[in-house]
């Protein structure tokens, strides 16, 4: 079933897109090609083919959670603008008061 300019006009109205008559006539066959291509994909899918989320099987794409030594704190703090008690010192952004 081919799309008509009237069908495209209805879709454009639903999408709140203003199209001229020339644009409607040009888009109708283009959208028809797209709909036929999507219908072709639906024909390929068969009941014996399970749906997948990836093109290839992936079992575990994450690295193992293993502890390892971190950078030395002194070396990291060396480039900090300010430090206090082996931590980065930053300006206070929250008030300690209970008022909201």
């Amino acid at each position: 079933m081919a799309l008509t300019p009237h069908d495209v006009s209805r879709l454009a109205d639903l999408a709140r897109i203003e199209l001229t008559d020339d644009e409607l006539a040009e888009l109708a066959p283009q959208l028809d090609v797209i709909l036929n291509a999507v219908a072709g994909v639906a024909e390929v899918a068969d009941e014996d083919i399970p749906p997948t989320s990836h093109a290839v099987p992936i079992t575990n794409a994450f690295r193992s959670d293993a502890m390892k030594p971190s950078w030395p704190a002194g070396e990291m703090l060396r480039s900090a603008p300010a430090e206090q008690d082996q931590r980065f010192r930053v300006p206070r952004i929250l008030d300690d008061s209970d008022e909201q």
Side-chain angles (χ1 to χ4, degrees):
M1 179 178 126
L3 282 179
T4 66
H6 177 73
D7 297 328
V8 178
S9 175
R10 176 69 179 129
L11 291 171
D13 287 342
L14 291 172
R16 293 186 170 95
I17 299 172
E18 291 183 23
L19 297 174
T20 65
D21 289 340
D22 292 337
E23 291 171 324
L24 292 172
E26 183 181 347
L27 285 173
Q30 293 176 1
L31 289 174
D32 195 45
V33 169
I34 293 170
L35 289 175
N36 287 332
V38 171
V41 171
E43 291 174 8
V44 173
D46 201 24
E47 293 178 9
D48 63 334
I49 301 172
T52 60
S53 62
H54 293 83
V56 295
I58 297 178
T59 54
N60 188 358
F62 303 105
R63 65 172 173 79
S64 61
D65 191 13
M67 292 189 59
K68 59 183 181 179
S70 181
W71 290 91
E75 190 174 333
M76 293 294 102
L77 291 170
R78 191 173 308 134
S79 61
E83 72 156 288
Q84 180 179 0
D85 300 326
Q86 289 289 307
R87 294 184 177 91
F88 292 105
R89 181 170 169 76
V90 296
R92 179 179 300 274
I93 58 170
L94 300 175
D95 190 6
D96 287 337
S97 69
D98 291 332
E99 296 176 18
Q100 295 283 335

